[in-house]
Amino acid sequence: MPLHKVVYLSNNTKLYLWKITEDFDTLFSQVKLKDSSLARLETMKSESHQKGFLAVRMLLQHNDYSDFDLFYDEFGKPHLKPQGCSIKDVEVSISHSNDFSAIAISDSKVGLDLEQLKEKTLRIAPRFMNVSHLENLSEEEKIKKATVVWGIKESIFKIKNEKGISFPNHIFEDDFSFDDKKATATLKLNDNPEVSGEKFQIQFDSVEDYIFVCAFQSINN
Ligand SMILES: CC(C)(COP(=O)(O)OP(=O)(O)OC[C@H]1O[C@@H](n2cnc3c(N)ncnc32)[C@H](O)[C@@H]1OP(=O)(O)O)[C@@H](O)C(=O)NCCC(=O)NCCS
């Protein structure tokens, strides 16, 4: 299937979702890859991971970028070269999970995470979130909310790209309602009560049985 959905998250940020229904050969024949990406593709153990990787390149090509414009820093964070003669910085964040690949492209820092809904996320919720935020919800609602919180933490991590960030000890979600499709969270790396931490705005939504979460740095940090 071609592009599944484009979500306009703000004036300057778009999220693109690819639903992977093609087989490996179909995707492989449609993307142009640089040698380092071909080598990386060969090291991937599962075909599902390979297809997720190729679908990301399909999304780049849909936006007039290609694998040749994408590079990674030493921690694995992706970056895009500006298009043509533009001097504007472009930010990108990437996520893939089984049937879907997604990229967010923005002119401000953005972090994206895509997660399939699973009971396991709720089982491990006490390890990464404030479980009082799950009170008075049905099991199904708890799974959804815990998945959003996991996505909040992954997407903030992807913006910051710093070693040593602990999901339970450093990233704090404020309580939110799933129906609002937005939330706020704070990154606080320091125990000093006088340091207020860095605020993030979050947008999220469901697509089939997946949740995507996008984090943005608050402008009034
Ligand atoms: C790197 C990490 C964010 C990837 O997330 P994931 O859910 O496993 O996988 P996703 O599909 O959502 O994201 C993978 C993409 O993230 C991007 N990525 C990898 N490292 C990154 C980094 N340091 N910063 C930003 N983006 C990164 C890459 O684009 C990668 O895809 P690609 O290599 O195919 O281009 C994750 O593995 C991680 O290290 N998380 C933090 C660790 C942690 O603290 N975990 C649990 C604490 S309780």
mmCIF file of all heavy atoms in Angstrom, residues 40 44 49 53 56-57 70 72-73 75-78 93-97 112-115 127-128 150 154 157-159 161-162 165-168, ligand 1:
data_model
loop_
_atom_site.group_PDB
_atom_site.id
_atom_site.type_symbol
_atom_site.label_atom_id
_atom_site.label_comp_id
_atom_site.label_asym_id
_atom_site.label_seq_id
_atom_site.Cartn_x
_atom_site.Cartn_y
_atom_site.Cartn_z
ATOM 1 N N ARG A 40 23.742 -2.146 6.072
ATOM 2 C CA ARG A 40 22.944 -2.226 7.304
ATOM 3 C C ARG A 40 21.732 -3.152 7.119
ATOM 4 O O ARG A 40 21.409 -3.946 7.995
ATOM 5 C CB ARG A 40 22.493 -0.813 7.681
ATOM 6 C CG ARG A 40 22.053 -0.741 9.089
ATOM 7 C CD ARG A 40 21.672 0.623 9.563
ATOM 8 N NE ARG A 40 20.734 0.439 10.659
ATOM 9 C CZ ARG A 40 19.837 1.325 11.022
ATOM 10 N NH1 ARG A 40 19.766 2.480 10.407
ATOM 11 N NH2 ARG A 40 19.010 1.067 12.015
ATOM 12 N N MET A 44 20.301 -6.910 9.236
ATOM 13 C CA MET A 44 19.045 -7.028 10.008
ATOM 14 C C MET A 44 18.543 -8.459 9.988
ATOM 15 O O MET A 44 18.438 -9.063 8.918
ATOM 16 C CB MET A 44 17.978 -6.097 9.426
ATOM 17 C CG MET A 44 18.296 -4.663 9.678
ATOM 18 S SD MET A 44 17.129 -3.582 8.843
ATOM 19 C CE MET A 44 17.952 -2.031 9.120
ATOM 20 N N HIS A 49 11.874 -6.158 10.207
ATOM 21 C CA HIS A 49 12.720 -4.987 10.453
ATOM 22 C C HIS A 49 13.206 -4.395 9.128
ATOM 23 O O HIS A 49 13.192 -3.177 8.918
ATOM 24 C CB HIS A 49 13.902 -5.408 11.346
ATOM 25 C CG HIS A 49 14.730 -4.266 11.830
ATOM 26 N ND1 HIS A 49 15.968 -4.423 12.397
ATOM 27 C CD2 HIS A 49 14.511 -2.924 11.808
ATOM 28 C CE1 HIS A 49 16.470 -3.246 12.724
ATOM 29 N NE2 HIS A 49 15.605 -2.318 12.373
ATOM 30 N N PHE A 53 12.504 -0.612 7.647
ATOM 31 C CA PHE A 53 13.606 0.253 7.217
ATOM 32 C C PHE A 53 13.353 0.752 5.782
ATOM 33 O O PHE A 53 13.505 1.944 5.483
ATOM 34 C CB PHE A 53 14.893 -0.584 7.294
ATOM 35 C CG PHE A 53 16.157 0.091 6.854
ATOM 36 C CD1 PHE A 53 16.928 0.791 7.764
ATOM 37 C CD2 PHE A 53 16.607 -0.014 5.539
ATOM 38 C CE1 PHE A 53 18.126 1.400 7.366
ATOM 39 C CE2 PHE A 53 17.791 0.574 5.138
ATOM 40 C CZ PHE A 53 18.557 1.292 6.058
ATOM 41 N N VAL A 56 10.551 3.325 5.561
ATOM 42 C CA VAL A 56 10.993 4.678 5.942
ATOM 43 C C VAL A 56 11.576 5.383 4.714
ATOM 44 O O VAL A 56 11.307 6.568 4.469
ATOM 45 C CB VAL A 56 12.041 4.607 7.089
ATOM 46 C CG1 VAL A 56 12.751 5.937 7.273
ATOM 47 C CG2 VAL A 56 11.367 4.183 8.397
ATOM 48 N N ARG A 57 12.329 4.643 3.918
ATOM 49 C CA ARG A 57 12.916 5.260 2.686
ATOM 50 C C ARG A 57 11.811 5.608 1.680
ATOM 51 O O ARG A 57 11.918 6.576 0.942
ATOM 52 C CB ARG A 57 13.944 4.309 2.052
ATOM 53 C CG ARG A 57 15.368 4.419 2.632
ATOM 54 C CD ARG A 57 15.449 3.951 4.040
ATOM 55 N NE ARG A 57 16.643 4.363 4.754
ATOM 56 C CZ ARG A 57 16.769 4.275 6.065
ATOM 57 N NH1 ARG A 57 15.792 3.806 6.820
ATOM 58 N NH2 ARG A 57 17.868 4.692 6.655
ATOM 59 N N LEU A 70 19.778 11.165 4.277
ATOM 60 C CA LEU A 70 19.614 10.810 5.697
ATOM 61 C C LEU A 70 20.952 10.339 6.250
ATOM 62 O O LEU A 70 21.623 9.514 5.638
ATOM 63 C CB LEU A 70 18.598 9.666 5.799
ATOM 64 C CG LEU A 70 18.162 9.263 7.199
ATOM 65 C CD1 LEU A 70 17.259 10.323 7.830
ATOM 66 C CD2 LEU A 70 17.400 7.932 7.154
ATOM 67 N N TYR A 72 23.154 9.534 10.201
ATOM 68 C CA TYR A 72 22.955 9.242 11.622
ATOM 69 C C TYR A 72 24.147 9.749 12.420
ATOM 70 O O TYR A 72 25.283 9.668 11.944
ATOM 71 C CB TYR A 72 22.842 7.727 11.829
ATOM 72 C CG TYR A 72 21.589 7.131 11.230
ATOM 73 C CD1 TYR A 72 21.547 6.717 9.900
ATOM 74 C CD2 TYR A 72 20.437 6.991 11.989
ATOM 75 C CE1 TYR A 72 20.393 6.171 9.347
ATOM 76 C CE2 TYR A 72 19.279 6.452 11.448
ATOM 77 C CZ TYR A 72 19.269 6.043 10.121
ATOM 78 O OH TYR A 72 18.118 5.512 9.592
ATOM 79 N N ASP A 73 23.877 10.247 13.635
ATOM 80 C CA ASP A 73 25.009 10.611 14.497
ATOM 81 C C ASP A 73 25.502 9.368 15.246
ATOM 82 O O ASP A 73 24.956 8.273 15.073
ATOM 83 C CB ASP A 73 24.642 11.784 15.427
ATOM 84 C CG ASP A 73 23.634 11.405 16.498
ATOM 85 O OD1 ASP A 73 23.415 10.197 16.717
ATOM 86 O OD2 ASP A 73 23.072 12.311 17.121
ATOM 87 N N PHE A 75 25.060 8.286 18.092
ATOM 88 C CA PHE A 75 24.108 7.600 18.977
ATOM 89 C C PHE A 75 22.973 6.930 18.196
ATOM 90 O O PHE A 75 22.094 6.319 18.787
ATOM 91 C CB PHE A 75 23.496 8.587 19.982
ATOM 92 C CG PHE A 75 24.532 9.317 20.798
ATOM 93 C CD1 PHE A 75 24.782 10.658 20.585
ATOM 94 C CD2 PHE A 75 25.266 8.632 21.755
ATOM 95 C CE1 PHE A 75 25.746 11.329 21.320
ATOM 96 C CE2 PHE A 75 26.229 9.291 22.509
ATOM 97 C CZ PHE A 75 26.478 10.637 22.285
ATOM 98 N N GLY A 76 22.943 7.129 16.877
ATOM 99 C CA GLY A 76 21.886 6.526 16.064
ATOM 100 C C GLY A 76 20.748 7.464 15.751
ATOM 101 O O GLY A 76 19.747 7.073 15.153
ATOM 102 N N LYS A 77 20.884 8.748 16.167
ATOM 103 C CA LYS A 77 19.803 9.711 15.878
ATOM 104 C C LYS A 77 19.882 10.134 14.401
ATOM 105 O O LYS A 77 20.949 10.501 13.917
ATOM 106 C CB LYS A 77 19.945 10.933 16.774
ATOM 107 C CG LYS A 77 18.881 11.996 16.498
ATOM 108 C CD LYS A 77 18.874 13.062 17.564
ATOM 109 C CE LYS A 77 17.957 14.199 17.175
ATOM 110 N NZ LYS A 77 17.235 14.772 18.293
ATOM 111 N N PRO A 78 18.742 10.087 13.698
ATOM 112 C CA PRO A 78 18.758 10.459 12.282
ATOM 113 C C PRO A 78 18.710 11.971 12.053
ATOM 114 O O PRO A 78 18.102 12.703 12.845
ATOM 115 C CB PRO A 78 17.479 9.808 11.748
ATOM 116 C CG PRO A 78 16.558 9.761 12.920
ATOM 117 C CD PRO A 78 17.410 9.647 14.154
ATOM 118 N N SER A 93 12.328 12.604 12.736
ATOM 119 C CA SER A 93 12.343 11.528 13.718
ATOM 120 C C SER A 93 11.665 10.322 13.079
ATOM 121 O O SER A 93 10.731 10.475 12.274
ATOM 122 C CB SER A 93 11.639 11.953 15.008
ATOM 123 O OG SER A 93 11.883 10.990 16.014
ATOM 124 N N ILE A 94 12.151 9.143 13.429
ATOM 125 C CA ILE A 94 11.736 7.908 12.741
ATOM 126 C C ILE A 94 11.275 6.882 13.766
ATOM 127 O O ILE A 94 11.866 6.758 14.835
ATOM 128 C CB ILE A 94 12.943 7.338 11.949
ATOM 129 C CG1 ILE A 94 13.318 8.279 10.793
ATOM 130 C CG2 ILE A 94 12.673 5.921 11.459
ATOM 131 C CD1 ILE A 94 14.591 7.882 10.050
ATOM 132 N N SER A 95 10.220 6.126 13.403
ATOM 133 C CA SER A 95 9.818 4.994 14.247
ATOM 134 C C SER A 95 9.211 3.924 13.354
ATOM 135 O O SER A 95 8.570 4.242 12.344
ATOM 136 C CB SER A 95 8.805 5.461 15.293
ATOM 137 O OG SER A 95 8.549 4.438 16.222
ATOM 138 N N HIS A 96 9.423 2.661 13.704
ATOM 139 C CA HIS A 96 8.739 1.588 12.973
ATOM 140 C C HIS A 96 8.312 0.504 13.948
ATOM 141 O O HIS A 96 8.986 0.244 14.937
ATOM 142 C CB HIS A 96 9.566 0.999 11.839
ATOM 143 C CG HIS A 96 11.041 1.139 11.969
ATOM 144 N ND1 HIS A 96 11.783 0.442 12.869
ATOM 145 C CD2 HIS A 96 11.909 1.943 11.309
ATOM 146 C CE1 HIS A 96 13.040 0.776 12.742
ATOM 147 N NE2 HIS A 96 13.166 1.708 11.817
ATOM 148 N N SER A 97 7.185 -0.096 13.652
ATOM 149 C CA SER A 97 6.664 -1.138 14.529
ATOM 150 C C SER A 97 5.788 -2.073 13.700
ATOM 151 O O SER A 97 4.711 -1.661 13.259
ATOM 152 C CB SER A 97 5.844 -0.493 15.645
ATOM 153 O OG SER A 97 5.265 -1.461 16.457
ATOM 154 N N LEU A 112 9.487 11.176 17.696
ATOM 155 C CA LEU A 112 8.322 10.384 17.293
ATOM 156 C C LEU A 112 8.468 8.955 17.786
ATOM 157 O O LEU A 112 9.552 8.368 17.688
ATOM 158 C CB LEU A 112 8.232 10.388 15.757
ATOM 159 C CG LEU A 112 7.258 9.400 15.121
ATOM 160 C CD1 LEU A 112 5.812 9.767 15.437
ATOM 161 C CD2 LEU A 112 7.457 9.367 13.604
ATOM 162 N N ASP A 113 7.377 8.401 18.273
ATOM 163 C CA ASP A 113 7.386 6.973 18.610
ATOM 164 C C ASP A 113 6.071 6.343 18.187
ATOM 165 O O ASP A 113 5.003 6.946 18.313
ATOM 166 C CB ASP A 113 7.601 6.766 20.119
ATOM 167 C CG ASP A 113 7.874 5.309 20.421
ATOM 168 O OD1 ASP A 113 8.744 4.715 19.748
ATOM 169 O OD2 ASP A 113 7.223 4.739 21.307
ATOM 170 N N LEU A 114 6.180 5.142 17.661
ATOM 171 C CA LEU A 114 5.014 4.389 17.211
ATOM 172 C C LEU A 114 5.033 3.064 17.956
ATOM 173 O O LEU A 114 6.068 2.384 17.981
ATOM 174 C CB LEU A 114 5.191 4.156 15.709
ATOM 175 C CG LEU A 114 4.112 3.477 14.920
ATOM 176 C CD1 LEU A 114 2.869 4.358 14.868
ATOM 177 C CD2 LEU A 114 4.621 3.253 13.489
ATOM 178 N N GLU A 115 3.929 2.714 18.577
ATOM 179 C CA GLU A 115 3.886 1.486 19.381
ATOM 180 C C GLU A 115 2.607 0.732 19.085
ATOM 181 O O GLU A 115 1.524 1.337 19.017
ATOM 182 C CB GLU A 115 3.864 1.820 20.889
ATOM 183 C CG GLU A 115 5.092 2.493 21.428
ATOM 184 C CD GLU A 115 6.299 1.576 21.530
ATOM 185 O OE1 GLU A 115 6.119 0.349 21.668
ATOM 186 O OE2 GLU A 115 7.430 2.096 21.455
ATOM 187 N N ARG A 127 7.190 0.148 36.070
ATOM 188 C CA ARG A 127 8.630 0.378 35.891
ATOM 189 C C ARG A 127 8.938 1.683 35.181
ATOM 190 O O ARG A 127 10.084 2.109 35.138
ATOM 191 C CB ARG A 127 9.244 -0.756 35.053
ATOM 192 C CG ARG A 127 9.226 -2.075 35.749
ATOM 193 C CD ARG A 127 10.181 -3.018 35.011
ATOM 194 N NE ARG A 127 9.584 -4.327 34.884
ATOM 195 C CZ ARG A 127 9.879 -5.197 33.926
ATOM 196 N NH1 ARG A 127 10.761 -4.894 33.008
ATOM 197 N NH2 ARG A 127 9.291 -6.366 33.889
ATOM 198 N N PHE A 128 7.924 2.299 34.537
ATOM 199 C CA PHE A 128 8.283 3.492 33.757
ATOM 200 C C PHE A 128 7.357 4.688 33.946
ATOM 201 O O PHE A 128 7.660 5.775 33.456
ATOM 202 C CB PHE A 128 8.415 3.150 32.254
ATOM 203 C CG PHE A 128 7.119 2.787 31.564
ATOM 204 C CD1 PHE A 128 6.299 3.780 31.042
ATOM 205 C CD2 PHE A 128 6.732 1.470 31.409
ATOM 206 C CE1 PHE A 128 5.112 3.463 30.388
ATOM 207 C CE2 PHE A 128 5.540 1.125 30.770
ATOM 208 C CZ PHE A 128 4.740 2.136 30.256
ATOM 209 N N TRP A 150 4.492 5.447 27.514
ATOM 210 C CA TRP A 150 5.754 4.867 27.011
ATOM 211 C C TRP A 150 6.241 5.673 25.784
ATOM 212 O O TRP A 150 7.410 6.039 25.677
ATOM 213 C CB TRP A 150 5.546 3.395 26.640
ATOM 214 C CG TRP A 150 6.792 2.784 26.083
ATOM 215 C CD1 TRP A 150 7.098 2.609 24.769
ATOM 216 C CD2 TRP A 150 7.934 2.321 26.818
ATOM 217 N NE1 TRP A 150 8.348 2.056 24.637
ATOM 218 C CE2 TRP A 150 8.882 1.864 25.883
ATOM 219 C CE3 TRP A 150 8.240 2.247 28.180
ATOM 220 C CZ2 TRP A 150 10.124 1.345 26.255
ATOM 221 C CZ3 TRP A 150 9.482 1.721 28.555
ATOM 222 C CH2 TRP A 150 10.401 1.276 27.596
ATOM 223 N N GLU A 154 9.760 7.661 25.117
ATOM 224 C CA GLU A 154 10.635 7.356 23.965
ATOM 225 C C GLU A 154 10.818 8.600 23.080
ATOM 226 O O GLU A 154 11.915 8.875 22.601
ATOM 227 C CB GLU A 154 10.007 6.244 23.102
ATOM 228 C CG GLU A 154 10.091 4.859 23.695
ATOM 229 C CD GLU A 154 11.412 4.134 23.420
ATOM 230 O OE1 GLU A 154 12.398 4.773 23.012
ATOM 231 O OE2 GLU A 154 11.458 2.919 23.641
ATOM 232 N N PHE A 157 13.054 11.095 24.716
ATOM 233 C CA PHE A 157 14.421 10.557 24.621
ATOM 234 C C PHE A 157 14.997 10.815 23.226
ATOM 235 O O PHE A 157 16.156 11.194 23.067
ATOM 236 C CB PHE A 157 14.418 9.052 24.925
ATOM 237 C CG PHE A 157 15.761 8.413 24.731
ATOM 238 C CD1 PHE A 157 16.710 8.440 25.742
ATOM 239 C CD2 PHE A 157 16.105 7.835 23.519
ATOM 240 C CE1 PHE A 157 17.973 7.890 25.548
ATOM 241 C CE2 PHE A 157 17.368 7.281 23.308
ATOM 242 C CZ PHE A 157 18.300 7.312 24.335
ATOM 243 N N LYS A 158 14.172 10.633 22.197
ATOM 244 C CA LYS A 158 14.673 10.810 20.824
ATOM 245 C C LYS A 158 15.025 12.264 20.536
ATOM 246 O O LYS A 158 15.900 12.540 19.724
ATOM 247 C CB LYS A 158 13.649 10.296 19.805
ATOM 248 C CG LYS A 158 13.597 8.774 19.760
ATOM 249 C CD LYS A 158 12.617 8.305 18.705
ATOM 250 C CE LYS A 158 12.570 6.791 18.627
ATOM 251 N NZ LYS A 158 11.585 6.326 17.625
ATOM 252 N N ILE A 159 14.329 13.217 21.173
ATOM 253 C CA ILE A 159 14.719 14.621 20.992
ATOM 254 C C ILE A 159 16.043 14.874 21.690
ATOM 255 O O ILE A 159 16.957 15.457 21.125
ATOM 256 C CB ILE A 159 13.655 15.576 21.578
ATOM 257 C CG1 ILE A 159 12.367 15.510 20.769
ATOM 258 C CG2 ILE A 159 14.190 17.023 21.601
ATOM 259 C CD1 ILE A 159 11.296 16.481 21.234
ATOM 260 N N ASN A 161 18.381 12.689 23.001
ATOM 261 C CA ASN A 161 19.503 11.881 22.518
ATOM 262 C C ASN A 161 20.694 11.968 23.476
ATOM 263 O O ASN A 161 21.811 12.218 23.064
ATOM 264 C CB ASN A 161 19.881 12.385 21.112
ATOM 265 C CG ASN A 161 20.906 11.512 20.422
ATOM 266 O OD1 ASN A 161 21.089 10.351 20.785
ATOM 267 N ND2 ASN A 161 21.607 12.074 19.444
ATOM 268 N N GLU A 162 20.397 11.805 24.777
ATOM 269 C CA GLU A 162 21.479 11.884 25.775
ATOM 270 C C GLU A 162 21.548 10.583 26.548
ATOM 271 O O GLU A 162 20.507 10.048 26.952
ATOM 272 C CB GLU A 162 21.183 12.996 26.787
ATOM 273 C CG GLU A 162 21.559 14.360 26.316
ATOM 274 C CD GLU A 162 21.048 15.432 27.289
ATOM 275 O OE1 GLU A 162 20.957 15.162 28.501
ATOM 276 O OE2 GLU A 162 20.732 16.524 26.797
ATOM 277 N N ILE A 165 19.457 9.002 30.439
ATOM 278 C CA ILE A 165 18.079 9.420 30.754
ATOM 279 C C ILE A 165 17.293 8.188 31.208
ATOM 280 O O ILE A 165 17.233 7.186 30.490
ATOM 281 C CB ILE A 165 17.389 10.076 29.532
ATOM 282 C CG1 ILE A 165 18.091 11.381 29.168
ATOM 283 C CG2 ILE A 165 15.915 10.316 29.813
ATOM 284 C CD1 ILE A 165 17.493 12.108 27.973
ATOM 285 N N SER A 166 16.710 8.273 32.400
ATOM 286 C CA SER A 166 15.905 7.161 32.911
ATOM 287 C C SER A 166 14.430 7.519 32.738
ATOM 288 O O SER A 166 13.996 8.607 33.125
ATOM 289 C CB SER A 166 16.243 6.945 34.390
ATOM 290 O OG SER A 166 15.117 6.466 35.084
ATOM 291 N N PHE A 167 13.662 6.598 32.166
ATOM 292 C CA PHE A 167 12.234 6.878 31.945
ATOM 293 C C PHE A 167 11.502 7.143 33.270
ATOM 294 O O PHE A 167 10.782 8.128 33.387
ATOM 295 C CB PHE A 167 11.576 5.724 31.181
ATOM 296 C CG PHE A 167 11.913 5.692 29.696
ATOM 297 C CD1 PHE A 167 12.845 6.552 29.144
ATOM 298 C CD2 PHE A 167 11.274 4.798 28.847
ATOM 299 C CE1 PHE A 167 13.152 6.528 27.789
ATOM 300 C CE2 PHE A 167 11.564 4.762 27.490
ATOM 301 C CZ PHE A 167 12.506 5.620 26.960
ATOM 302 N N PRO A 168 11.670 6.270 34.317
ATOM 303 C CA PRO A 168 10.906 6.545 35.548
ATOM 304 C C PRO A 168 11.471 7.694 36.378
ATOM 305 O O PRO A 168 10.725 8.374 37.070
ATOM 306 C CB PRO A 168 10.998 5.239 36.333
ATOM 307 C CG PRO A 168 12.211 4.556 35.810
ATOM 308 C CD PRO A 168 12.371 4.982 34.377
HETATM 309 C C1 LIG B 1 16.833 4.274 20.443
HETATM 310 C C2 LIG B 1 15.418 4.045 20.852
HETATM 311 C C3 LIG B 1 14.801 5.375 21.243
HETATM 312 C C4 LIG B 1 14.624 3.416 19.675
HETATM 313 O O1 LIG B 1 13.270 3.238 19.983
HETATM 314 P P1 LIG B 1 12.459 1.899 19.612
HETATM 315 O O2 LIG B 1 11.084 2.035 20.180
HETATM 316 O O3 LIG B 1 13.259 0.714 20.016
HETATM 317 O O4 LIG B 1 12.387 1.853 18.062
HETATM 318 P P2 LIG B 1 11.683 2.861 17.064
HETATM 319 O O5 LIG B 1 11.314 2.109 15.856
HETATM 320 O O6 LIG B 1 10.617 3.673 17.721
HETATM 321 O O7 LIG B 1 12.849 3.869 16.722
HETATM 322 C C5 LIG B 1 13.945 3.462 15.975
HETATM 323 C C6 LIG B 1 14.509 4.702 15.320
HETATM 324 O O8 LIG B 1 14.892 5.637 16.327
HETATM 325 C C7 LIG B 1 15.916 6.446 15.793
HETATM 326 N N1 LIG B 1 16.957 6.542 16.810
HETATM 327 C C8 LIG B 1 17.847 5.595 17.190
HETATM 328 N N2 LIG B 1 18.659 6.074 18.163
HETATM 329 C C9 LIG B 1 18.254 7.356 18.396
HETATM 330 C C10 LIG B 1 18.702 8.366 19.277
HETATM 331 N N3 LIG B 1 19.731 8.170 20.096
HETATM 332 N N4 LIG B 1 18.068 9.554 19.272
HETATM 333 C C11 LIG B 1 17.031 9.773 18.437
HETATM 334 N N5 LIG B 1 16.556 8.848 17.551
HETATM 335 C C12 LIG B 1 17.169 7.647 17.548
HETATM 336 C C13 LIG B 1 16.420 5.779 14.505
HETATM 337 O O9 LIG B 1 15.959 6.532 13.408
HETATM 338 C C14 LIG B 1 15.774 4.416 14.562
HETATM 339 O O10 LIG B 1 15.375 3.883 13.321
HETATM 340 P P3 LIG B 1 16.390 3.607 12.109
HETATM 341 O O11 LIG B 1 17.715 3.321 12.731
HETATM 342 O O12 LIG B 1 15.792 2.473 11.363
HETATM 343 O O13 LIG B 1 16.401 4.892 11.328
HETATM 344 C C15 LIG B 1 15.309 3.048 22.034
HETATM 345 O O14 LIG B 1 15.760 1.809 21.677
HETATM 346 C C16 LIG B 1 16.056 3.512 23.277
HETATM 347 O O15 LIG B 1 17.235 3.391 23.400
HETATM 348 N N6 LIG B 1 15.309 4.064 24.239
HETATM 349 C C17 LIG B 1 15.814 4.619 25.446
HETATM 350 C C18 LIG B 1 16.330 3.596 26.366
HETATM 351 C C19 LIG B 1 15.608 3.481 27.627
HETATM 352 O O16 LIG B 1 15.865 4.250 28.488
HETATM 353 N N7 LIG B 1 14.708 2.473 27.718
HETATM 354 C C20 LIG B 1 13.964 2.053 28.824
HETATM 355 C C21 LIG B 1 14.080 2.759 30.120
HETATM 356 S S1 LIG B 1 12.977 2.188 31.384
#
